[in-house]
Amino acid sequence: MSLKNKNIEAVYPLSPMQQGMLFHSLYDSASDVYVNQLSWDFYGKLNIPAFARAWQQVINRHSVLRTAFVWENLKEPLQIVGQYVKLDWEEQDWQNFPSAQQPKRLEDFLNTDRKRGFELSKAPLMRLIAIKLDESHHHFVLSNHHLLMDGWSVPIIFQEVITYYKEFNLGKNPELNLPYPYQNYIAWLKQQDMLQAEEFWRKKLKGFAVPTTLRADRASLRFTKFTVQNENFDEREIKLSNTLTAALKSLGQRQHLTLNTLVQGAWALLLSRYTTQKDVVFGSVVSGRPSTLPNVESMVGMFINTLPTRVQVTPTQFLLPWLQHIQAQYLEMCQYEYSSLVQIQGWSEVPRNLPLFESLIIFENYPMNSSTQEEIPNLKVDNIRVFEKTNYP
């Protein structure tokens, strides 16, 4: 999108996380890093035109969904909001394919769709594909670049789509309250005290000069297809039992600890065990939605940020006080969650040619609305799947 384009509504800088995502997306443009993909099934009678119209209306409402990114010949990259951006909508009919072939065909299609990626300088950086499997069964694929929004934003968008769809299906034109634009957050970032943040991070990372790595004995850790050069790595899913999950929740409640703290403590112990280091650093993803920014919980955009978490692992220390200290450190860190990871690395003693950390913890807690099925008459939602990939192994 050219800066001279008459369709421009606004131009402003990137958030810290957007800067990092843009860098890694351009660095490895052939990969599907930071291409998010959400897919689901609709069973029942679906009004396709009304559903597409609902999505277009949501794009019209939220400026960040009409955003493209420019960087060439600029000192700093910028994001440009178009006044009007048409939904990238595609329909496919698979009814003639045998039902036994459809699962394999879908897997291949999802992989191919991710590899398509996005041209970051052209909006929209999202597309919606409707696949008709039979008269009462549709599969939808929503792909978007992570630059646009975080996971917290997805339920907000879907709730609005459902509202519009139900009303359009009845021949009505609903009017929702105007949303608060993502630009408000960018303006908030400019008001933060970076000198205070620098002082905090320099003190927090003082004396840490060698990044914590898990490169030792990859075979025993069962990492496959891992190469540093093209960041090609696979995924392994491990689910905790209901019993163990309940026990962890109970422990957290009794000791006033969050589940996130328990996970961070476990990961710090693992890193210490495998690296034999007593001072470890890993990345933590924070929500980035400051309580001081009005209506931030209802905003759509990219708010999350990745920050270094430093943990001292002392074998003689008691477990619960150690976990409480980790939680206190995390809460303190969140006061400076607006800091850019690039700047933090510069304030640390880790050389610029090395990563500040190699492993990352993302503790997510924003489930899709469980009442969706009841909210859309004559439609059942099933088989919700999410794919996302960072630049971290």
Side-chain angles (χ1 to χ4, degrees):
M1 186 183 294
S2 169
L3 287 171
K4 298 179 180 180
N5 194 316
K6 294 182 180 179
N7 187 39
I8 292 178
E9 177 181 291
V11 179
Y12 42 87
L14 279 61
S15 70
M17 193 65 162
Q18 285 179 317
Q19 293 173 12
M21 287 181 175
L22 178 62
F23 170 80
H24 288 289
S25 298
L26 296 175
Y27 177 77
D28 193 3
S29 58
S31 78
D32 53 0
V33 63
Y34 293 116
V35 174
N36 291 354
Q37 191 180 65
L38 177 66
S39 61
W40 69 95
D41 285 311
F42 268 147
Y43 292 94
K45 186 173 178 57
L46 178 66
N47 184 339
I48 290 289
F51 193 63
R53 184 184 170 196
W55 276 97
Q56 181 64 63
Q57 192 65 27
V58 170
I59 289 178
N60 296 345
R61 278 174 54 79
H62 296 284
S63 58
V64 74
L65 302 182
R66 293 179 269 114
T67 297
F69 298 81
V70 292
W71 57 89
E72 293 183 348
N73 302 318
L74 296 175
K75 185 178 180 180
E76 296 288 343
L78 296 170
Q79 46 189 328
I80 305 178
V81 180
Q83 292 180 353
Y84 175 80
V85 171
K86 185 178 180 181
L87 169 67
D88 189 349
W89 172 273
E90 181 181 331
E91 295 182 34
Q92 295 192 17
D93 192 336
W94 289 10
Q95 293 182 96
N96 293 331
F97 294 99
S99 57
Q101 296 180 9
Q102 289 179 356
K104 174 63 166 60
R105 183 178 179 84
L106 179 60
E107 289 301 318
D108 293 341
F109 178 83
L110 293 175
N111 289 329
T112 301
D113 175 69
R114 291 195 295 268
K115 296 299 182 183
R116 287 169 60 186
F118 294 94
E119 190 172 346
L120 301 181
S121 60
K122 292 184 179 180
L125 298 182
M126 60 182 294
R127 56 179 170 265
L128 191 60
I129 302 167
I131 303 172
K132 188 174 185 179
L133 301 178
D134 60 47
E135 286 298 327
S136 60
H137 184 191
H138 289 80
H139 191 84
F140 279 87
V141 181
L142 172 66
S143 298
N144 71 274
H145 200 283
H146 210 348
L147 280 164
L148 297 187
M149 57 183 172
D150 52 25
W152 187 277
S153 302
V154 176
I156 298 174
I157 288 176
F158 266 80
Q159 189 61 51
E160 292 185 0
V161 168
I162 291 169
T163 299
Y164 279 118
Y165 173 76
K166 290 195 302 183
E167 296 298 303
F168 290 158
N169 211 22
L170 296 174
K172 300 179 181 179
N173 289 305
E175 291 187 8
L176 303 184
N177 293 332
L178 288 176
Y180 293 87
Y182 183 63
Q183 188 174 359
N184 289 7
Y185 171 63
I186 300 298
W188 178 88
L189 284 173
K190 291 181 179 179
Q191 300 171 1
Q192 303 316 300
D193 190 339
M194 294 310 300
L195 290 178
Q196 190 175 12
E198 178 180 354
E199 181 182 356
F200 169 80
W201 288 113
R202 285 189 183 277
K203 181 178 179 181
K204 180 63 61 179
L205 297 173
K206 183 176 177 60
F208 185 84
V210 180
T212 307
T213 176
L214 267 178
R215 298 194 186 283
D217 194 11
R218 287 200 178 278
S220 68
L221 294 176
R222 300 188 183 278
F223 281 112
T224 59
K225 295 185 180 178
F226 180 89
T227 59
V228 176
Q229 185 175 2
N230 62 10
E231 297 170 340
N232 180 20
F233 46 89
D234 277 352
E235 181 176 287
R236 184 176 182 184
E237 182 176 285
I238 301 173
K239 293 186 177 182
L240 304 185
S241 68
N242 291 337
T243 302
L244 180 55
T245 301
L248 290 172
K249 286 182 177 180
S250 177
L251 171 64
Q253 291 171 353
R254 292 196 310 272
Q255 303 299 330
H256 305 290
L257 296 169
T258 65
L259 278 176
N260 187 23
T261 299
L262 298 181
V263 172
Q264 288 187 344
W267 189 246
L269 289 173
L270 182 143
L271 288 176
S272 178
R273 176 66 61 86
Y274 277 97
T275 62
T276 68
Q277 297 174 9
K278 305 305 179 186
D279 186 7
V280 299
V281 170
F282 54 87
S284 294
V285 174
V286 294
S287 70
R289 293 179 179 255
S291 58
T292 55
L293 179 60
N295 302 290
V296 69
E297 296 296 321
S298 63
M299 288 184 186
V300 172
M302 172 47 62
F303 292 88
I304 61 170
N305 197 10
T306 301
L307 302 172
T309 296
R310 185 179 185 181
V311 180
Q312 306 283 343
V313 180
T314 307
T316 57
Q317 190 171 3
F318 286 103
L319 178 64
L320 291 177
W322 179 71
L323 289 171
Q324 290 163 354
H325 181 66
I326 291 177
Q327 182 161 291
Q329 279 190 313
Y330 182 80
L331 293 174
E332 183 185 23
M333 178 185 73
C334 287
Q335 298 178 42
Y336 304 95
E337 61 185 0
Y338 55 82
S339 308
S340 163
L341 184 57
V342 174
Q343 289 180 310
I344 295 174
Q345 167 114 22
W347 298 331
S348 76
E349 298 174 23
V350 175
R352 279 287 192 179
N353 62 326
L354 295 177
L356 187 54
F357 48 81
E358 185 181 278
S359 63
L360 182 70
I361 286 183
I362 306 174
F363 191 90
E364 299 177 328
N365 186 24
Y366 37 79
M368 296 295 290
N369 192 335
S370 59
S371 62
T372 298
Q373 183 174 331
E374 290 75 20
E375 291 190 20
I376 311 180
N378 304 317
L379 281 177
K380 177 185 177 183
V381 182
D382 198 11
N383 194 27
I384 299 175
R385 300 169 58 186
V386 177
F387 174 91
E388 54 186 18
K389 182 177 176 181
T390 75
N391 60 289
Y392 292 96

